[in-house]
Amino acid sequence: MNIARKFTAAAAAAATAALLAAPAAATDLRFATGFAPNSTGEKGALAWADHARDISGGDLNIQVFAQSLLKFTEMSGGVRDGIADMGMVLFPYFPAEYPNSTMISELTMLFASMNTGDRGGIAWAGALTEYITQHCPACVEEMKAQNQIYTSSSSTEYLLMCTKEVKSLADMQGIRLRAPGAQWTRWAQSVGATTVSIPQPEIFEGLTQGILDCSLQGAAELVDLSLIDAVKYIVRDVPGGGFGGTGQVNVNIDTWQALTPEQRTDLLKSAAYHGAVVSWNYHVNNKAALEKAAEKGIGIIDPADDLRSHTVAFIENDLANIARNYQEKYGLKDTEQAVATFKSIFERWTGLVADVQSAEELTDLYWNEALSKVDVNAYGF
């Protein structure tokens, strides 16, 4: 080898060594959510962005776009096509694209039959995270078909909020109800109510103008959507459930694969925090909103025995209907087993969250019980 070649080889080796020794460049990531600015959802996303930056040593810089980059109805395609690097994807908005995941989202009325109280949402988010990442390869594959990977979920309990007193089966006859999911629509039909389709920003107007008699919402929306000025009665425990089909941080696959294994691990750790902090904030804000409602004189009532017992019976019967519906409509396999598997996982999680007292404790649970078991070198490839 001549002197010039020796010099060139030495320089190349030195450059390669320097490159390997240098810290990875900070990665800028755009996250889109359909939550409104200053809402519980947006505040959770901003806290998550700070958390991701902290645990990655500044390596993950996440910019949050609340209702400005993509709407919830645009989210799946937007993340798929890279308009956002990451986004909050609501599976029930896209059942044909995410049938396996959407099927599970219809099971949240288990909150009522399992008597989860105000901890159904925090249990559900952990259970769904574990189920999709560890027990549902079909869920993972349907995400990949949309050029995405799933990381975590959030959830909260829904209550029946009405402008008139509704306690019994007889009271439900003819009630005009906003039901934000197929399972609640079936329940509404079973009790003689009529469902009305109204976008979330128009719920207040619907209640005040008599278009709606009742709406199913998280208690925090009493404040976030100003429903406290429209609602007169809140019914606990019936019909039960919450929104259970959240891809809290779905990541574009090209973005995911471009990250280093360390960055992927940090992103998963921060996704555990995001699901936890949003679910926990709803848990806390729901309580605070109900206290405000009581102070304002809104009636917070328990359902009559006939409405409660009808609802519990409906839930158990509807589990089989959900499995059959998704098998027939989308050609899914082993749906009864999938429902049974998730029900068992959810029951375990109701015990896991029983004594949790903070978002930090919940983050540890979501990480240790679910996301720490994901192989970042294989997942999403």
Side-chain angles (χ1 to χ4, degrees):
M1 182 181 294
N2 62 32
I3 295 176
R5 287 181 178 174
K6 286 182 180 179
F7 177 81
T8 302
T16 300
L19 182 62
L20 292 173
T27 299
D28 296 323
L29 300 169
R30 297 160 298 164
F31 174 77
T33 178
F35 279 122
N38 298 315
S39 65
T40 299
E42 192 222 20
K43 290 175 182 177
L46 292 172
W48 159 65
D50 290 339
H51 180 271
R53 183 172 56 251
D54 290 344
I55 68 167
S56 67
D59 203 21
L60 296 177
N61 294 321
I62 298 171
Q63 185 175 3
V64 175
F65 294 87
Q67 280 190 345
S68 58
L69 186 58
L70 294 168
K71 301 175 183 177
F72 277 134
T73 53
E74 303 167 330
M75 197 66 66
S76 181
V79 175
R80 179 196 64 210
D81 297 338
I83 296 172
D85 300 301
M86 305 177 290
M88 185 176 179
V89 177
L90 307 181
F91 305 133
Y93 282 35
F94 313 97
E97 288 82 359
Y98 309 100
N100 292 279
S101 306
T102 304
M103 181 182 73
I104 299 303
S105 77
E106 291 194 24
L107 306 179
T108 63
M109 288 175 71
L110 288 170
F111 291 8
S113 61
M114 290 187 177
N115 297 313
T116 58
D118 64 358
R119 292 189 169 241
I122 61 176
W124 183 274
L128 187 60
T129 302
E130 176 186 336
Y131 176 77
I132 290 180
T133 58
Q134 298 177 40
H135 303 278
C136 186
C139 297
V140 174
E141 287 304 312
E142 68 191 13
M143 308 282 177
K144 289 177 69 176
Q146 300 304 314
N147 201 38
Q148 300 171 38
I149 63 110
Y150 164 91
T151 63
S152 65
S153 288
S154 65
S155 184
T156 187
E157 306 80 31
Y158 278 3
L159 297 171
L160 192 60
M161 303 182 185
C162 303
T163 58
K164 59 179 67 175
E165 188 172 19
V166 174
K167 292 184 67 174
S168 66
L169 271 174
D171 295 335
M172 290 300 304
Q173 299 299 309
I175 288 292
R176 291 163 295 186
L177 168 68
R178 180 183 184 268
Q183 68 273 37
W184 292 299
T185 296
R186 293 190 293 271
W187 173 82
Q189 293 169 347
S190 79
V191 297
T194 301
T195 57
V196 180
S197 179
I198 288 182
Q200 189 181 60
E202 298 175 18
I203 296 171
F204 180 89
E205 183 179 0
L207 290 168
T208 55
Q209 294 191 2
I211 299 169
L212 295 173
D213 298 311
C214 300
S215 182
L216 276 164
Q217 302 292 139
E221 311 298 355
L222 288 164
V223 176
D224 287 358
L225 298 179
S226 300
L227 299 185
I228 199 167
D229 295 321
V231 170
K232 300 294 189 295
Y233 295 93
I234 298 171
V235 186
R236 290 183 288 216
D237 301 330
V238 167
F243 196 90
T246 301
Q248 192 70 32
V249 184
N250 268 31
V251 186
N252 175 280
I253 280 186
D254 300 318
T255 298
W256 173 259
Q257 293 181 354
L259 300 176
T260 67
E262 293 77 15
Q263 289 173 325
R264 288 181 220 126
T265 299
D266 286 340
L267 189 55
L268 282 182
K269 286 180 177 178
S270 72
Y273 176 82
H274 195 184
V277 75
V278 171
S279 299
W280 186 258
N281 285 352
Y282 270 115
H283 173 74
V284 172
N285 292 348
N286 286 345
K287 287 185 175 181
L290 286 174
E291 290 174 2
K292 289 183 179 180
E295 291 170 1
K296 190 177 175 65
I298 293 174
I300 301 175
I301 59 179
D302 294 317
D305 289 343
D306 65 343
L307 184 55
R308 187 190 298 272
S309 59
H310 172 91
T311 299
V312 170
F314 169 86
I315 293 167
E316 290 305 314
N317 291 332
D318 199 47
L319 294 180
N321 291 333
I322 292 169
R324 183 171 55 253
N325 289 346
Y326 277 81
Q327 184 176 12
E328 294 175 354
K329 187 170 183 178
Y330 297 105
L332 302 189
K333 307 294 185 183
D334 302 319
T335 53
E336 291 183 2
Q337 182 59 49
V339 168
T341 297
F342 182 82
K343 185 178 179 182
S344 176
I345 293 170
F346 180 60
E347 187 171 12
R348 185 175 76 88
W349 273 88
T350 62
L352 288 174
V353 304
D355 297 321
V356 168
Q357 296 299 320
S358 68
E360 289 72 25
E361 290 182 21
L362 199 59
T363 299
D364 289 342
L365 264 182
Y366 292 176
W367 173 250
N368 293 330
E369 297 291 331
L371 289 176
S372 66
K373 301 175 183 179
V374 173
D375 181 355
V376 297
N377 295 308
Y379 190 62
F381 287 86

